[in-house]
Amino acid sequence: MNTLRRWSRLLHRDLSYFFTGVLLLYAVSGFMLNHKRDFNADYSVVRRAVAFAGPLPADEASWSRGRVDSLLAAAGGEWSCLKHYFPEAGTMKLFLRGGATLTVDLRRGEGLYEEIRRRPLLSGLNRLHYNPSRWWTLFSDLFLAGLVVIVLTGLVMVRGPRGLWGRGGVELLAGMVIPLLFLFLLE
């Protein structure tokens, strides 16, 4: 049994060091996925009010492509309009190069600029949870096997009243029962 414990410590330690990085990355991205309602980790949305000088014609027929470009130039933005349309009377929506939009209330002469920006690091971390490639699947399976070995070796490393047949066993059961309670009681 001492040989088993010695090998367990070696495997447990080395696999723990090897997989710590990916475990932390999964923990951060898992936290972000758990809080998708509170925080969009993939994109940030930039909103800015834009004021236009003078009265703006409210009818669709008054708005040619050239007039839309003149409006954007007068607003001081370095924007290039790809397309515009009128979702409702008195409102014009412009789709700008780069993925941004500008919604203009023609009656009030006010606009709302919205730009969606990808969060480079955080969106990349989230993508790991969605299996982005065959190589990642292979590494994830290796990671899974490593976690199983870490858990099993951790179970036999400590003996006595703090080990598996004492306090450690009670903690193991509690760690299994709590998720099962959530699974069955919240259904």
Side-chain angles (χ1 to χ4, degrees):
M1 194 64 160
N2 285 336
T3 304
L4 176 65
R5 282 196 176 88
R6 186 169 38 111
W7 278 103
S8 292
R9 279 190 184 87
L10 291 173
L11 273 172
H12 190 87
R13 180 197 62 208
D14 292 343
L15 287 175
S16 294
Y17 280 135
F18 183 77
F19 287 119
T20 293
V22 73
L23 188 61
L24 290 173
L25 293 177
Y26 266 138
V28 169
S29 61
F31 177 82
M32 290 184 300
L33 288 173
N34 280 346
H35 294 276
K36 279 190 338 190
R37 292 183 186 133
D38 306 321
F39 172 74
N40 186 340
D42 291 322
Y43 299 99
S44 66
V45 179
V46 176
R47 290 186 177 98
R48 185 173 68 226
V50 179
F52 297 99
L56 300 172
D59 60 305
E60 291 183 38
S62 300
W63 290 97
S64 65
R65 175 65 186 248
R67 188 163 202 170
V68 168
D69 290 339
S70 298
L71 176 73
L72 291 176
E78 296 293 323
W79 302 315
S80 175
C81 181
L82 298 172
K83 184 178 179 179
H84 70 281
Y85 83 105
F86 296 83
E88 57 190 44
T91 302
M92 179 172 57
K93 185 159 189 169
L94 301 110
F95 295 94
L96 308 174
R97 193 171 305 283
T101 62
L102 178 62
T103 306
V104 182
D105 183 332
L106 298 170
R107 292 183 184 109
R108 294 189 318 195
E110 298 172 352
L112 177 64
Y113 172 83
E114 291 183 302
E115 180 181 0
I116 298 173
R117 296 180 185 158
R118 181 177 282 283
R119 297 178 194 265
L121 178 63
L122 298 181
S123 65
L125 288 176
N126 271 353
R127 246 188 37 187
L128 293 178
H129 276 279
Y130 299 121
N131 246 355
S133 73
R134 188 84 176 120
W135 289 106
W136 184 254
T137 302
L138 184 64
F139 181 77
S140 294
D141 291 345
L142 182 66
F143 175 59
L144 169 72
L147 287 179
V148 169
V149 172
I150 289 170
V151 167
L152 294 176
T153 56
L155 291 176
V156 298
M157 282 184 356
V158 179
R159 60 180 157 191
R162 290 181 291 178
L164 184 60
W165 303 115
R167 186 179 78 197
V170 172
E171 292 168 354
L172 172 66
L173 286 175
M176 292 170 69
V177 167
I178 291 171
L180 290 174
L181 286 174
F182 274 98
L183 181 67
F184 293 116
L185 294 179
L186 296 179
E187 282 282 318

